[in-house]
Every structure is written in structure tokens, then in C-alpha cells.
Amino acid sequence: MRLGRAGEGLLHPAALASVAVLLLNDHWAKRAYPGFATGKLSDFAGLIFTPLLLDAWIELGLRQAGRYRGPSPRRLRALAVLTGLVFALAKTWPPANIAVAWAMGLVRLPLDAGLALALGRGLPALGPVALVRDPSDLLALPSLGLALWVGRRR
């Protein structure tokens, strides 16, 4: 059995496709074709990508510390459960929605700042992302299974 490289789960076609869907849907399709499908598409893609991203960050940290021993299905399962729980709370409970919107704004800030600098714009301010509280988004929770499938394929 081959030892998986740290962070390689993000290179799986399902992970790459989910990033492409997030970018296209959030920056174009939702405006061009507003409706139920575009409203849910990012939820499905985000639930596939998020546990894989968190797992890659942990793997890369372990590698940096000299403690990486290969992919951990158990860790990925725990991250998928955590992702699902935070998502469910953010979509149904106003305090969690606000907290997650601010946390996502903080995580996005370095990316937004890099883009602004590359385009010659001023640096963006820290602020929450737009995160709609919609319990019907819980329909996307089964897509966490695809993240787990990617982990098993490693």
C-alpha cells in the first residue's frame, strides 16, 4: 500500500470539481440564474470540499512537524461530522450563522487581500461573508459522503 502524500486529497477530481463549482456558482451562476438549484449547488460543493481542506491542513501541519504517517480515515470521518454539525447549526441557529459568517470572512481575508493587491486595489476590510440561514440547505448534508469516498480512495 502506498503512503499518501500530505494534502493530496485536495488534488482528487471530486475536490477540484467542487472548488470549480463553488467559484462558478458563487461568482456567476447565482446572479445569472437565481433560483433553487444555484442556491443549493454551493452547499453541496462546500460540504464535499471543506472536510478535505481541513484534513489537508492537518496533514500538512503533521508533515511539517515530522509526524505525518499517511491518510487517516478516522480523522476524515471526524472532520466530516464536524463540518456537517457546523453547517447544520449555521443554517438553523442565528448565533451560529453569525459566528460562521465572521469565521469565513477571516479565512477569506488573506485570499481577498492577495487578489486586491494583484489587481492594484486597496486592501479589503475584515467582515462577515454573506451566509444565508436556510434550513432547506440541510438537503446537502449527504454530500459529505463524497468527501468520505475520496478519503477511502486514497
Side-chain angles (χ1 to χ4, degrees):
M1 184 168 128
R2 174 180 82 80
L3 178 68
R5 291 175 303 188
E8 77 177 351
L10 288 180
L11 300 177
H12 189 279
L16 296 173
S18 67
V19 171
V21 166
L22 279 168
L23 291 172
L24 286 170
N25 193 55
D26 285 353
H27 296 284
W28 174 71
K30 282 183 179 180
R31 286 192 247 341
Y33 305 102
F36 182 82
T38 55
K40 303 294 179 241
L41 201 53
S42 292
D43 296 325
F44 281 90
L47 287 170
I48 294 165
F49 180 68
T50 301
L52 297 171
L53 175 65
L54 296 173
D55 196 40
W57 282 346
I58 292 169
E59 288 180 357
L60 292 170
L62 289 171
R63 186 188 71 190
Q64 189 67 25
R67 298 184 55 197
Y68 180 66
R69 304 291 178 253
S72 169
R74 184 178 183 182
R75 181 181 56 236
L76 184 59
R77 279 193 303 273
L79 291 169
V81 168
L82 178 65
T83 298
L85 179 62
V86 170
F87 179 81
L89 287 171
K91 293 300 184 170
T92 59
W93 189 42
N97 181 272
I98 293 166
V100 170
W102 275 96
M104 289 173 66
L106 181 62
V107 169
R108 264 186 56 167
L109 187 61
L111 300 172
D112 291 343
L115 181 61
L117 288 173
L119 297 174
R121 298 181 184 155
L123 291 176
L126 173 62
V129 300
L131 184 61
V132 176
R133 189 170 40 90
D134 179 0
S136 73
D137 290 344
L138 299 181
L139 292 169
L141 283 171
S143 62
L144 288 165
L146 188 54
L148 296 173
W149 177 81
V150 168
R152 280 198 308 272
R153 303 288 299 161
R154 293 181 63 199

